[in-house]
Amino acid sequence: MNARTEPAEAKPSAIARPPLVRELLLVTGLFLVYKFGRQLVTGHTTEAYRNAGRVWHWERVLDLPGEGSVQSLLLHGDTLAHLANTYYATVHFPATVAFLVWLYLKRPAHYVWARRVLALLTGAALVLHLVFPLAPPRMLAAAGLVDTAKVYGPSVYGPPQTDTLSNQFAAMPSLHFGWALMVAIGLIVATRSRWRRLWLLHPLVTLLVIVGTANHYWMDAIVATALLGIALAIIDLPHRTATTAGRAQEKLAPAEPKENVLVGAGR
């Protein structure tokens, strides 16, 4: 019998899950910074309406389809409009939270990646909200659109003049769409089911809802997509990071002498 001494293969180390309390504080802090940061734009009414007119003009120059073509589908009956408003009001934030919780429990490496991407996207959106306040199309008379939330309910907004809980002049970019698209991309990357691309239905439905309810322009979703693309280009995927780190360790590790093969031992 021949005996050979061969180096054992190194097993990949498991990705440690970030401390729960730290993550809760971090995510909550980021959300509060964004929430209160949006309030800084409150009161820029004249500029917000002026920018709305510009966006509406740009969309016509670019020959984008009118938002009214989507809204007309919802106005065939009260039920569709009510469902769209409910989706807008209830799905956006809970879906994103559920996405992060699932990644934290099941895919910790992907969780860190997704959290960083969402933080970068949201921070960039806050900056744009500050420099480019924008009234949504439901407030723009030239658009001729119906405020479906006000007419059919439910509505998450009060009158703009007295609404102190939200900033209605922060339409661009649409984080409803940006977060929904990131949820779909994150789940497609983190899972292996052959049906995983169906998660793209979430941002698709979200896009139709935000446009059909006259809460956002097409341009709001386009800009959100561009910002998300930049964030994804900056933040490396987990497997890329692991591969790069592995190559670096190989370069830095001293070369080990090859072990002699013992031939004929044990005869």
Side-chain angles (χ1 to χ4, degrees):
M1 179 178 67
N2 293 338
R4 296 174 180 266
T5 58
E6 299 177 352
E9 294 184 2
K11 295 181 179 180
S13 57
I15 301 298
R17 184 175 292 112
L20 178 60
V21 175
R22 188 194 72 182
E23 290 303 311
L24 288 175
L25 292 175
L26 179 60
V27 173
T28 302
L30 289 173
F31 174 76
L32 291 176
V33 168
Y34 171 73
K35 189 70 174 177
F36 289 113
R38 281 169 57 106
Q39 299 304 316
L40 297 177
V41 193
T42 302
H44 295 194
T45 306
T46 303
E47 187 178 358
Y49 279 103
R50 186 185 302 118
N51 288 335
R54 291 170 178 167
V55 170
W56 187 257
H57 172 70
W58 293 339
E59 288 191 342
R60 306 293 76 79
V61 170
L62 295 173
D63 201 25
L64 294 178
E67 285 80 357
S69 60
V70 178
Q71 186 173 86
S72 63
L73 300 176
L74 300 181
L75 298 182
H76 282 301
D78 296 358
T79 302
L80 279 178
H82 183 79
L83 286 175
N85 294 328
T86 302
Y87 191 97
Y88 180 86
T90 62
V91 174
H92 165 57
F93 190 71
T96 308
V97 171
F99 164 68
L100 289 174
V101 170
W102 185 85
L103 286 182
Y104 179 84
L105 295 175
K106 300 295 186 180
R107 303 286 192 276
H110 287 86
Y111 163 79
V112 174
W113 164 71
R115 188 248 291 152
R116 289 173 178 171
V117 171
L118 285 172
L120 185 56
L121 168 64
T122 305
L126 176 58
V127 172
L128 192 52
H129 293 333
L130 296 175
V131 300
F132 194 79
L134 178 65
R138 57 188 167 81
M139 295 183 184
L140 185 64
L145 299 173
V146 177
D147 186 344
T148 59
K150 184 178 180 180
V151 175
Y152 301 98
S155 177
V156 294
Y157 302 119
Q161 299 80 6
T162 59
D163 189 358
T164 58
L165 297 177
S166 59
N167 177 19
Q168 299 185 46
F169 297 134
M172 180 181 288
S174 169
L175 283 181
H176 267 74
F177 181 74
W179 286 11
L181 185 57
M182 180 56 200
V183 168
I185 292 174
L187 290 173
I188 289 172
V189 170
T191 58
R192 290 294 175 265
S193 170
R194 59 179 174 176
W195 304 105
R196 64 187 184 278
R197 287 178 178 79
L198 290 177
W199 286 111
L200 290 172
L201 290 174
H202 175 44
L204 176 59
V205 172
T206 299
L207 177 61
L208 296 178
V209 164
I210 64 175
V211 172
T213 58
N215 281 294
H216 286 283
Y217 306 88
W218 293 113
M219 289 293 295
D220 299 339
I222 293 172
V223 172
T225 303
L227 292 178
L228 178 58
I230 294 172
L232 289 170
I234 294 174
I235 308 297
D236 283 336
L237 280 167
H239 70 271
R240 290 182 183 174
T241 303
T243 302
T244 304
R247 289 175 180 172
Q249 289 176 359
E250 288 177 3
K251 292 179 180 179
L252 294 176
E256 297 182 1
K258 295 182 179 180
E259 299 185 10
N260 295 326
V261 177
L262 305 181
V263 181
R267 281 185 179 176

